[in-house]
Amino acid sequence: MMIMLTNVAQGLLWAIMAIGVYLTFRVLNIADMTAEGSFPLGAAISARLIVSGSNPIVATLAGAAGGALAGVISGWLNTKLKIPDLLTGILTMTGLYSVNLLIMKAANISFLGHVKTVFNSVSAMSSLGGTIIFSSGLVLVLITSLVLFFRTEVGLAARAVGDNPLMSAANGINTDRMKIIVYMISNSFIALSGSLMAQTNGYADVSMGIGTLVIALSAIIMAEMVFHKSSLGKRFLTIVGGAIVYRWLIAGVLELGVDPNLLRLFYAVMLVLFLSIPRLDRRLARFFRSWFKKEEVSK
Amino acid sequence: MTVLRIEHLNQIFGRNTPTETYALRDLNLALEQGDFVTVIGGNGAGKSTLLNSVAGFLPVSSGKISLDGQDVTTQNVAQRAKMISRVFQDPRSGTASHLTIEENLALALQRGTTRRFWRMGVRKQDHEKLETSLAQLHLGLENRLKDEMGLLSGGQRQAITLLMATLETPRLLLLDEHTAALDPKTSATVMSLTSRIVERNHLTALMVTHNMQDAIRYGNRLLMLSHGKIVLDLDQEAKQHLTVPDLMARFKETQGTTLSDDSLLLS
Ligand SMILES: Nc1ncnc2c1ncn2[C@@H]1O[C@H](COP(=O)(O)OP(=O)(O)OP(=O)(O)O)[C@@H](O)[C@H]1O
Ligand SMILES: [Mg+2]
């Protein structure tokens, strides 16, 4: 039970990242790998600021802002220099590795001693329950703001660009601007997740971004497997569910005594499975769906 | 008043390569306010290239394009969208499949304006306007504003694209074989809808078609393109007495002469 709850907290943080990835992956229809660099970037900026005595909230926001900047860079490379989306992500991610080392001045920073993070600066939040409540509240606020954003003129235009760029341009939408905006929001979410992850785990590490995308995609695919079609808001909520369930799966595997060094191999194999299940056996997917529905009813 | 003026327009693909193609050669054209011009020509004559150049989809190789006297040669598609709207051949091209009908129409209402964070994409006060304009299509779509665009048939989507293109009156409407992908009956419906909308709003329009009958029946001017040049330019009066066999004969003739011109050049 305790393990389940601990992992809800972690799953909620992963959800923020997965929603960020969803914005480029599904809304823009772009494969953006910047995530693997912006996740540790958020962690690095926040960790550096926190150990040098900054207010943890400021440090967290700065981490998210760093991610936004990384997103702008990728978006700019993609739209203005016309570098293919897959490559822009790889370029930014590679560059960010050095940037993260520069920021941290080491391969990792750990919050030893009595360092204040967003989670322990208010005593009510230092407990596991407090962490979960804070994270759920944050996730809800983020989802609500995203849903509202996608209803504005800019948000509607951004969705149109992902759906049909030709038609969008013909309707006078500045498609480059829209793409850069979504890249920016996406990577600020991912960096925010990295920043909070570092603060709960008690350390930031340059290599903590490896696997980010696979985790995010797993959560997204799980959500889509169970709920085929959803409005944007519902989709975000199902991704939160996907991220938590995925986290439980991982925790279960570790609990079975699997070598943590094999974890990333496991992430990859899992995603391959998720991607192939709907193809291999649609009935199985349907089974999962009905199983989930029963779960909902029994709750 | 001249709405569109094209001067010495050249479009060359694959310049200095073995596949160098002159899609448009020193083309000159002026459209006056209210002109509804039909464009015909064989495959590869340069009709789509002409429309793509006017819309800003293709940067010109050389030449000048002006709208309402303003040089727009270097403007991109989105900038020109303030004045130009378009209906494509493929019914899927003109609308966003995963957005609702209402969202698509709202996008068209905002054509040419700068999108803002502080304004709602779909506004309640536009609801009625969208519903009445949908009702004018007589397709029973007015109650389906919340339906996803992807659920509609090709003809319905094309009718909506046409509506979107004219919801905010454009200075110039470009139609590139916009009924070609539809079955004959739907095609006729969309064509008469087009003519009604163009007439009611006194639009200036450039319409490419493969249907000679339509080319003669609609509009007040007819152009025939061949190998990137305007080889026939008929005004309203000349058009009135034209029959399909006449036009076919002229068509074969121009195809023949330009072909022999080319073979002369090549030899
Ligand atoms: N992007 C491009 N790259 C290279 N060549 C092109 C390109 N677009 C058009 N062309 C060539 O330019 C010429 C004119 O093509 P265009 O599409 O304008 O013809 P069209 O009159 O619209 O023909 P259709 O009736 O088949 O639609 C053709 O020879 C075509 O192969
Ligand atoms: Mg064509």
Side-chain angles (χ1 to χ4, degrees), chain A residues 5 9 39 66 111 114 124 134 146 174 197 225 241 274 280 283 292 297:
Chain A
L5 282 180
F39 186 78
F111 303 149
H114 301 285
F134 167 75
L146 270 188
N174 184 337
M197 195 61 90
M225 248 164 57
F274 291 150
L280 285 179
R283 270 175 307 169
F292 260 82
V297 174

Side-chain angles (χ1 to χ4, degrees), chain B residues 130-144:
Chain B
L130 298 184
E131 237 170 33
T132 23
S133 43
L134 268 175
Q136 283 161 6
L137 299 179
H138 303 300
L139 292 171
L141 292 172
E142 52 278 17
N143 305 318
R144 298 181 59 184

